[in-house]
Amino acid sequence: MRLMIKDLKLNEVNELAGFVENIRNKKSMCFIVLRDVSGKLQLTFEKEKHPEFEELFNKITIDTVIRVKGLVVPSEYVKLNGMEMYPDELEIESVAEASPIVAPKGEETNIDLRLDYRWIDLRTEKNTLMFKVQSLFVNKCREFLNNKDFIEIHTPKLIGAESESGAGVFKVDYFDRNAFLAQSPQFYKQMAMAAGFERIYETGPVFRAEKFASRKHATEFTGFDLEFSYINSYKDVMKMEEEMLEFAIRGIKEKYGDEVKKVFDVDIVIPTLPFPVMDLKDVYKELEARYGYTVPEEEKGDLATEAERLVARLSKDMFNHEFLFITGYSKETRAFYHMRDEKGVPCGYDLIWKGCEITTGAQREHRYEILKKQAQEKGLDEDVKFYLDFFKYGCPPHGGFGIGVDRITMLIFNVGIKEAMFIFRGPDRLNP
């Protein structure tokens, strides 16, 4: 039975299979480095003992998939993990042609060419580690919420109305009418609150028809969303998020921190609790006072892109923290379903990490008449009539947030969004 390299047994016969990372075919010996998703191992063939393998050695190329069986022994001469296998059986599963994305020595292949052949690009140690960490992040968030009695739900991605004001939608033909690809599970998360589920979360695809060409935008990405009832204010939502992120990042640091440092030269910092909080107007005051950064008065209801980047420096200088909650956004820049305080200020926040917005969260407006009025202000009351109906029959106070899983990955490893996604989707990319 085939084992993974991480599970092999020393001084025993093991069966392994994987990609050929390197081959040195010498006169009397052949050395192959075998790679699977769990690690690497040197295979050492003594040609005198196995002349029948010579024809196979001549066929094997880099990334050829092989299966081997043989004794694994410790070796002080082998740098790779201090062990090697002496195979007695060798089988070629698939011969690989020359890679189309190998760059000249010392150069890096263009990211768009690598994306054309993403399945080859993903074979690297860096990419494997990146997606192991991404998987652990989602699982740690699930673990944290499951321990707090949250229910995982799965909402439809074909919807009858736009779900996020200010974000473009993809319109699709749906038999005799139009439908839209969901910009978020927002409406259905709140429907679950009206249904009395009280605590829910979901991870799934999110679609945004936005023609941005930045390091952080994509037209399809993976969201991690949650909603919960009987909150006293949006501060309860912030507390839930900071505790969940601290739990997830701690788990990543414990399992992969050393490997991330070795492969990416990135230190994973476990954030201290609570995260710092600032009002948006105070953020702009500090940015001007400390760094001379200003924006026109009429733009101070939202966080400008350059201001968002500077927040990384501000949070470090003021709080020695990588995260910063920002509150006090204008109602014009927030969705109609955000609750507003007595001054008309939305009861919500953005969370900025390393100069990048990873979350918009809020207490939602659960009172039907007020919600209907706020939808009318945005000219949406007819478009979201089905959603407004959720609140006619009783609904507890509630709030929630959404996190972009791919942005989290991007920020952990300090890479662009194209590299942080398993397969990137943007305005000019629909393949592979």
Side-chain angles (χ1 to χ4, degrees):
M1 183 179 71
R2 183 236 178 184
L3 294 175
M4 301 191 80
I5 290 173
K6 72 176 180 65
D7 297 323
L8 60 75
K9 298 173 177 120
L10 269 174
N11 299 311
E12 291 187 26
V13 172
N14 295 257
E15 183 178 338
L16 305 173
F19 289 92
V20 171
E21 182 162 290
N22 192 23
I23 179 169
R24 290 179 294 141
N25 192 7
K26 306 291 187 179
K27 185 176 180 181
S28 60
M29 305 283 285
C30 182
F31 302 96
I32 291 175
V33 175
L34 184 72
R35 180 189 75 248
D36 69 16
V37 74
S38 72
K40 302 174 186 178
L41 180 70
Q42 177 174 300
L43 312 178
T44 301
F45 296 87
E46 297 173 304
K47 290 189 174 182
E48 187 178 3
K49 291 183 178 179
H50 294 287
E52 72 276 14
F53 291 165
E54 188 64 46
E55 187 179 345
L56 297 178
F57 295 149
N58 293 329
K59 291 180 180 179
I60 292 173
T61 57
I62 302 299
D63 281 347
T64 286
V65 179
I66 63 173
R67 183 178 296 269
V68 291
K69 190 173 183 179
L71 182 66
V72 177
V73 296
S75 173
E76 59 184 271
Y77 304 107
V78 176
K79 291 182 180 179
L80 182 61
N81 301 321
M83 65 180 77
E84 61 187 330
M85 173 188 274
Y86 287 89
D88 293 314
E89 297 180 21
L90 169 64
E91 179 183 351
I92 294 177
E93 301 280 15
S94 171
V95 175
E97 295 184 16
S99 172
I101 60 171
V102 173
K105 195 170 184 179
E107 296 181 23
E108 187 168 316
T109 308
N110 174 278
I111 180 63
D112 289 310
L113 177 61
R114 283 160 46 206
L115 291 181
D116 288 340
Y117 296 91
R118 184 59 165 162
W119 64 96
I120 302 174
D121 184 47
L122 286 168
R123 292 174 183 172
T124 65
E125 182 181 11
K126 279 190 168 186
N127 279 322
T128 301
L129 176 58
M130 203 182 307
F131 290 99
K132 285 179 179 178
V133 169
Q134 185 182 94
S135 175
L136 183 62
F137 171 78
V138 173
N139 286 332
K140 282 293 178 182
C141 291
R142 278 195 171 106
E143 181 184 344
F144 176 85
L145 297 174
N146 288 342
N147 288 337
K148 292 185 177 293
D149 298 320
F150 276 72
I151 300 168
E152 183 171 7
I153 65 171
H154 303 283
T155 62
K157 304 308 164 200
L158 280 170
I159 59 176
E162 300 181 27
S163 53
E164 291 282 341
S165 58
V169 294
F170 289 109
K171 187 186 294 184
V172 297
D173 292 330
Y174 194 74
F175 302 107
D176 60 344
R177 58 197 183 279
N178 289 326
F180 304 91
L181 295 179
Q183 299 147 294
S184 90
Q186 186 58 47
F187 290 172
Y188 297 105
K189 289 195 301 176
Q190 292 187 257
M191 190 187 84
M193 299 300 96
F197 280 22
E198 296 197 14
R199 294 181 162 218
I200 63 93
Y201 68 90
E202 173 178 17
T203 182
V206 177
F207 302 90
R208 301 285 170 92
E210 300 169 327
K211 289 191 174 181
F212 291 116
S214 76
R215 73 182 288 267
K216 67 178 185 179
H217 285 96
T219 52
E220 178 183 354
F221 58 90
T222 300
F224 193 99
D225 284 81
L226 65 82
E227 204 81 14
F228 61 110
S229 292
Y230 301 107
I231 65 173
N232 294 313
S233 81
Y234 67 92
K235 292 178 182 178
D236 295 337
V237 181
M238 293 162 65
K239 186 173 187 292
M240 183 71 75
E241 179 168 17
E242 67 188 7
E243 289 179 357
M244 184 185 81
L245 287 172
E246 192 274 345
F247 180 83
I249 293 170
R250 181 180 296 278
I252 292 169
K253 173 84 169 181
E254 288 171 355
K255 185 166 185 178
Y256 292 116
D258 291 343
E259 199 172 346
V260 170
K261 177 64 177 176
K262 176 185 173 185
V263 176
F264 285 86
D265 194 25
V266 169
D267 290 304
I268 294 176
V269 178
I270 301 171
T272 56
L273 294 174
F275 291 5
V277 184
M278 290 184 72
D279 188 278
L280 183 59
K281 65 178 182 298
D282 294 326
V283 169
Y284 277 120
K285 283 179 186 176
E286 290 292 341
L287 291 179
E288 183 173 358
R290 289 169 180 266
Y291 317 124
Y293 176 81
T294 61
V295 296
E297 200 64 35
E298 63 272 16
E299 295 180 18
K300 289 187 176 179
D302 201 0
L303 190 66
T305 301
E306 182 58 29
E308 186 179 300
R309 284 195 284 266
L310 279 171
V311 163
R313 184 177 170 190
L314 181 67
S315 189
K316 274 285 187 184
D317 289 348
M318 291 186 68
F319 309 107
N320 192 29
H321 211 286
E322 291 185 344
F323 289 87
L324 182 66
F325 282 122
I326 299 179
T327 61
Y329 288 83
S330 71
K331 65 182 181 182
E332 289 77 20
T333 65
R334 301 284 99 168
F336 74 92
Y337 48 78
H338 286 203
M339 183 179 281
R340 300 171 190 171
D341 66 16
E342 63 278 359
K343 295 179 182 178
V345 178
C347 300
Y349 65 89
D350 278 358
L351 179 57
I352 314 298
W353 186 28
K354 296 183 179 180
C356 181
E357 179 248 307
I358 60 168
T359 294
T360 294
Q363 179 167 5
R364 319 303 186 186
E365 182 52 71
H366 62 285
R367 296 162 293 185
Y368 173 73
E369 292 299 336
I370 298 174
L371 187 60
K372 183 179 179 182
K373 180 183 175 185
Q374 291 181 183
Q376 287 171 341
E377 284 178 15
K378 301 270 189 178
L380 295 171
D381 51 320
E382 286 304 314
D383 289 338
V384 296
K385 185 177 182 304
F386 83 98
Y387 162 77
L388 294 174
D389 284 347
F390 299 162
F391 304 90
K392 280 184 176 180
Y393 309 99
C395 184
H398 61 275
F401 61 85
I403 292 177
V405 172
D406 308 289
R407 278 197 188 177
I408 292 289
T409 310
M410 176 186 89
L411 294 168
I412 288 174
F413 293 99
N414 295 334
V415 298
I417 196 69
K418 291 181 177 181
E419 294 173 272
M421 301 182 71
F422 180 70
I423 296 180
F424 172 74
R425 286 288 177 262
D428 301 317
R429 182 166 289 277
L430 266 176
N431 288 302

